[in-house]
PDB file of all heavy atoms in Angstrom:
ATOM      1  N   ALA A 335     -17.541  27.216  29.543  1.00 97.00           N
ATOM      2  CA  ALA A 335     -18.639  28.185  29.646  1.00 97.00           C
ATOM      3  C   ALA A 335     -19.619  27.736  30.729  1.00 97.00           C
ATOM      4  O   ALA A 335     -19.700  26.549  31.062  1.00 97.00           O
ATOM      5  CB  ALA A 335     -19.365  28.308  28.306  1.00 97.00           C
ATOM      6  N   SER A 336     -20.364  28.711  31.261  1.00 98.00           N
ATOM      7  CA  SER A 336     -21.357  28.381  32.280  1.00 98.00           C
ATOM      8  C   SER A 336     -22.695  28.980  31.854  1.00 98.00           C
ATOM      9  O   SER A 336     -22.826  30.190  31.707  1.00 98.00           O
ATOM     10  CB  SER A 336     -20.918  28.963  33.628  1.00 98.00           C
ATOM     11  OG  SER A 336     -21.952  28.791  34.559  1.00 98.00           O
ATOM     12  N   VAL A 337     -23.668  28.102  31.624  1.00 98.00           N
ATOM     13  CA  VAL A 337     -25.010  28.558  31.247  1.00 98.00           C
ATOM     14  C   VAL A 337     -25.900  28.275  32.459  1.00 98.00           C
ATOM     15  O   VAL A 337     -26.025  27.119  32.881  1.00 98.00           O
ATOM     16  CB  VAL A 337     -25.525  27.791  30.005  1.00 98.00           C
ATOM     17  CG1 VAL A 337     -26.935  28.245  29.634  1.00 98.00           C
ATOM     18  CG2 VAL A 337     -24.567  27.955  28.827  1.00 98.00           C
ATOM     19  N   GLY A 338     -26.480  29.324  33.028  1.00 97.00           N
ATOM     20  CA  GLY A 338     -27.255  29.164  34.255  1.00 97.00           C
ATOM     21  C   GLY A 338     -28.536  28.372  34.048  1.00 97.00           C
ATOM     22  O   GLY A 338     -28.816  27.854  32.959  1.00 97.00           O
ATOM     23  N   ALA A 339     -29.346  28.316  35.094  1.00 96.00           N
ATOM     24  CA  ALA A 339     -30.592  27.538  35.071  1.00 96.00           C
ATOM     25  C   ALA A 339     -31.647  28.233  34.209  1.00 96.00           C
ATOM     26  O   ALA A 339     -31.612  29.451  34.003  1.00 96.00           O
ATOM     27  CB  ALA A 339     -31.115  27.381  36.497  1.00 96.00           C
ATOM     28  N   ARG A 340     -32.582  27.441  33.686  1.00 95.00           N
ATOM     29  CA  ARG A 340     -33.805  27.927  33.006  1.00 95.00           C
ATOM     30  C   ARG A 340     -33.532  28.837  31.813  1.00 95.00           C
ATOM     31  O   ARG A 340     -34.236  29.813  31.595  1.00 95.00           O
ATOM     32  CB  ARG A 340     -34.749  28.620  34.001  1.00 95.00           C
ATOM     33  CG  ARG A 340     -35.161  27.739  35.173  1.00 95.00           C
ATOM     34  CD  ARG A 340     -36.074  28.467  36.132  1.00 95.00           C
ATOM     35  NE  ARG A 340     -35.608  29.783  36.528  1.00 95.00           N
ATOM     36  CZ  ARG A 340     -34.650  30.011  37.422  1.00 95.00           C
ATOM     37  NH1 ARG A 340     -34.052  29.004  38.034  1.00 95.00           N
ATOM     38  NH2 ARG A 340     -34.301  31.249  37.713  1.00 95.00           N
ATOM     39  N   ASN A 341     -32.490  28.559  31.066  1.00 95.00           N
ATOM     40  CA  ASN A 341     -32.270  29.270  29.800  1.00 95.00           C
ATOM     41  C   ASN A 341     -32.754  28.390  28.659  1.00 95.00           C
ATOM     42  O   ASN A 341     -32.951  27.171  28.829  1.00 95.00           O
ATOM     43  CB  ASN A 341     -30.785  29.588  29.614  1.00 95.00           C
ATOM     44  CG  ASN A 341     -30.317  30.688  30.549  1.00 95.00           C
ATOM     45  OD1 ASN A 341     -30.731  31.843  30.399  1.00 95.00           O
ATOM     46  ND2 ASN A 341     -29.499  30.320  31.526  1.00 95.00           N
ATOM     47  N   GLU A 342     -32.926  29.030  27.496  1.00 96.00           N
ATOM     48  CA  GLU A 342     -33.342  28.261  26.321  1.00 96.00           C
ATOM     49  C   GLU A 342     -32.527  28.757  25.129  1.00 96.00           C
ATOM     50  O   GLU A 342     -32.644  29.917  24.733  1.00 96.00           O
ATOM     51  CB  GLU A 342     -34.832  28.496  26.082  1.00 96.00           C
ATOM     52  CG  GLU A 342     -35.425  27.490  25.147  1.00 96.00           C
ATOM     53  CD  GLU A 342     -36.929  27.718  25.001  1.00 96.00           C
ATOM     54  OE1 GLU A 342     -37.601  27.980  26.021  1.00 96.00           O
ATOM     55  OE2 GLU A 342     -37.418  27.642  23.867  1.00 96.00           O
ATOM     56  N   LEU A 343     -31.696  27.912  24.585  1.00 96.00           N
ATOM     57  CA  LEU A 343     -30.873  28.298  23.426  1.00 96.00           C
ATOM     58  C   LEU A 343     -31.114  27.285  22.319  1.00 96.00           C
ATOM     59  O   LEU A 343     -31.034  26.071  22.557  1.00 96.00           O
ATOM     60  CB  LEU A 343     -29.387  28.305  23.787  1.00 96.00           C
ATOM     61  CG  LEU A 343     -28.893  29.447  24.666  1.00 96.00           C
ATOM     62  CD1 LEU A 343     -28.978  29.061  26.124  1.00 96.00           C
ATOM     63  CD2 LEU A 343     -27.467  29.781  24.313  1.00 96.00           C
ATOM     64  N   ARG A 344     -31.387  27.818  21.121  1.00 93.00           N
ATOM     65  CA  ARG A 344     -31.722  26.918  20.014  1.00 93.00           C
ATOM     66  C   ARG A 344     -31.066  27.383  18.723  1.00 93.00           C
ATOM     67  O   ARG A 344     -30.493  28.472  18.664  1.00 93.00           O
ATOM     68  CB  ARG A 344     -33.231  26.905  19.790  1.00 93.00           C
ATOM     69  CG  ARG A 344     -34.031  26.367  20.961  1.00 93.00           C
ATOM     70  CD  ARG A 344     -35.501  26.329  20.613  1.00 93.00           C
ATOM     71  NE  ARG A 344     -36.310  26.027  21.776  1.00 93.00           N
ATOM     72  CZ  ARG A 344     -36.656  24.803  22.154  1.00 93.00           C
ATOM     73  NH1 ARG A 344     -36.285  23.759  21.461  1.00 93.00           N
ATOM     74  NH2 ARG A 344     -37.388  24.608  23.231  1.00 93.00           N
ATOM     75  N   CYS A 345     -31.228  26.575  17.691  1.00 89.00           N
ATOM     76  CA  CYS A 345     -30.992  26.974  16.293  1.00 89.00           C
ATOM     77  C   CYS A 345     -29.645  27.623  16.025  1.00 89.00           C
ATOM     78  O   CYS A 345     -29.568  28.743  15.534  1.00 89.00           O
ATOM     79  CB  CYS A 345     -32.078  27.947  15.836  1.00 89.00           C
ATOM     80  SG  CYS A 345     -33.700  27.263  15.981  1.00 89.00           S
ATOM     81  N   GLY A 346     -28.572  26.933  16.352  1.00 89.00           N
ATOM     82  CA  GLY A 346     -27.256  27.425  15.956  1.00 89.00           C
ATOM     83  C   GLY A 346     -26.632  28.436  16.885  1.00 89.00           C
ATOM     84  O   GLY A 346     -25.585  29.003  16.566  1.00 89.00           O
ATOM     85  N   ALA A 347     -27.227  28.690  18.057  1.00 92.00           N
ATOM     86  CA  ALA A 347     -26.602  29.627  19.006  1.00 92.00           C
ATOM     87  C   ALA A 347     -25.240  29.085  19.446  1.00 92.00           C
ATOM     88  O   ALA A 347     -25.042  27.875  19.536  1.00 92.00           O
ATOM     89  CB  ALA A 347     -27.507  29.801  20.222  1.00 92.00           C
ATOM     90  N   ARG A 348     -24.293  29.996  19.695  1.00 95.00           N
ATOM     91  CA  ARG A 348     -22.970  29.574  20.169  1.00 95.00           C
ATOM     92  C   ARG A 348     -22.579  30.393  21.380  1.00 95.00           C
ATOM     93  O   ARG A 348     -22.711  31.610  21.368  1.00 95.00           O
ATOM     94  CB  ARG A 348     -21.915  29.806  19.085  1.00 95.00           C
ATOM     95  CG  ARG A 348     -22.212  29.026  17.842  1.00 95.00           C
ATOM     96  CD  ARG A 348     -21.126  29.206  16.825  1.00 95.00           C
ATOM     97  NE  ARG A 348     -21.610  28.674  15.559  1.00 95.00           N
ATOM     98  CZ  ARG A 348     -20.834  28.138  14.630  1.00 95.00           C
ATOM     99  NH1 ARG A 348     -19.534  28.077  14.814  1.00 95.00           N
ATOM    100  NH2 ARG A 348     -21.347  27.684  13.521  1.00 95.00           N
ATOM    101  N   VAL A 349     -22.103  29.737  22.396  1.00 96.00           N
ATOM    102  CA  VAL A 349     -21.645  30.418  23.600  1.00 96.00           C
ATOM    103  C   VAL A 349     -20.131  30.248  23.659  1.00 96.00           C
ATOM    104  O   VAL A 349     -19.616  29.127  23.551  1.00 96.00           O
ATOM    105  CB  VAL A 349     -22.315  29.816  24.860  1.00 96.00           C
ATOM    106  CG1 VAL A 349     -21.740  30.437  26.127  1.00 96.00           C
ATOM    107  CG2 VAL A 349     -23.829  30.013  24.797  1.00 96.00           C
ATOM    108  N   TRP A 350     -19.426  31.353  23.793  1.00 96.00           N
ATOM    109  CA  TRP A 350     -17.964  31.324  23.704  1.00 96.00           C
ATOM    110  C   TRP A 350     -17.316  30.649  24.907  1.00 96.00           C
ATOM    111  O   TRP A 350     -17.946  30.551  25.979  1.00 96.00           O
ATOM    112  CB  TRP A 350     -17.440  32.753  23.557  1.00 96.00           C
ATOM    113  CG  TRP A 350     -16.347  32.811  22.531  1.00 96.00           C
ATOM    114  CD1 TRP A 350     -15.019  33.039  22.770  1.00 96.00           C
ATOM    115  CD2 TRP A 350     -16.475  32.615  21.123  1.00 96.00           C
ATOM    116  NE1 TRP A 350     -14.323  32.990  21.583  1.00 96.00           N
ATOM    117  CE2 TRP A 350     -15.185  32.737  20.571  1.00 96.00           C
ATOM    118  CE3 TRP A 350     -17.556  32.345  20.274  1.00 96.00           C
ATOM    119  CZ2 TRP A 350     -14.942  32.591  19.213  1.00 96.00           C
ATOM    120  CZ3 TRP A 350     -17.305  32.201  18.919  1.00 96.00           C
ATOM    121  CH2 TRP A 350     -16.018  32.325  18.406  1.00 96.00           C
ATOM    122  N   CYS A 351     -16.085  30.195  24.746  1.00 95.00           N
ATOM    123  CA  CYS A 351     -15.360  29.542  25.831  1.00 95.00           C
ATOM    124  C   CYS A 351     -15.333  30.459  27.055  1.00 95.00           C
ATOM    125  O   CYS A 351     -15.109  31.664  26.925  1.00 95.00           O
ATOM    126  CB  CYS A 351     -13.922  29.256  25.422  1.00 95.00           C
ATOM    127  SG  CYS A 351     -13.783  28.209  23.982  1.00 95.00           S
ATOM    128  N   ASP A 352     -15.558  29.900  28.220  1.00 96.00           N
ATOM    129  CA  ASP A 352     -15.483  30.588  29.513  1.00 96.00           C
ATOM    130  C   ASP A 352     -16.515  31.701  29.704  1.00 96.00           C
ATOM    131  O   ASP A 352     -16.449  32.435  30.679  1.00 96.00           O
ATOM    132  CB  ASP A 352     -14.064  31.146  29.770  1.00 96.00           C
ATOM    133  CG  ASP A 352     -13.024  30.038  29.745  1.00 96.00           C
ATOM    134  OD1 ASP A 352     -13.277  28.988  30.373  1.00 96.00           O
ATOM    135  OD2 ASP A 352     -11.987  30.187  29.081  1.00 96.00           O
ATOM    136  N   ALA A 353     -17.450  31.856  28.776  1.00 96.00           N
ATOM    137  CA  ALA A 353     -18.498  32.879  28.955  1.00 96.00           C
ATOM    138  C   ALA A 353     -19.453  32.427  30.059  1.00 96.00           C
ATOM    139  O   ALA A 353     -19.545  31.232  30.367  1.00 96.00           O
ATOM    140  CB  ALA A 353     -19.272  33.060  27.655  1.00 96.00           C
ATOM    141  N   ALA A 354     -20.151  33.383  30.654  1.00 96.00           N
ATOM    142  CA  ALA A 354     -21.108  33.039  31.711  1.00 96.00           C
ATOM    143  C   ALA A 354     -22.471  33.650  31.399  1.00 96.00           C
ATOM    144  O   ALA A 354     -22.565  34.834  31.080  1.00 96.00           O
ATOM    145  CB  ALA A 354     -20.600  33.540  33.054  1.00 96.00           C
ATOM    146  N   ILE A 355     -23.498  32.850  31.474  1.00 95.00           N
ATOM    147  CA  ILE A 355     -24.873  33.311  31.269  1.00 95.00           C
ATOM    148  C   ILE A 355     -25.625  33.024  32.561  1.00 95.00           C
ATOM    149  O   ILE A 355     -25.562  31.898  33.082  1.00 95.00           O
ATOM    150  CB  ILE A 355     -25.527  32.549  30.079  1.00 95.00           C
ATOM    151  CG1 ILE A 355     -24.803  32.915  28.777  1.00 95.00           C
ATOM    152  CG2 ILE A 355     -27.017  32.842  29.994  1.00 95.00           C
ATOM    153  CD1 ILE A 355     -25.318  32.180  27.558  1.00 95.00           C
ATOM    154  N   GLY A 356     -26.315  34.032  33.086  1.00 93.00           N
ATOM    155  CA  GLY A 356     -26.983  33.878  34.386  1.00 93.00           C
ATOM    156  C   GLY A 356     -28.234  33.006  34.306  1.00 93.00           C
ATOM    157  O   GLY A 356     -28.630  32.529  33.235  1.00 93.00           O
TER     158      GLY A 356
END
Side-chain angles (χ1 to χ4, degrees):
S336 173
V337 179
R340 303 179 311 283
N341 288 292
E342 195 177 318
L343 287 91
R344 297 183 189 270
C345 302
R348 299 183 192 210
V349 175
W350 223 250
C351 301
D352 301 314
I355 294 177

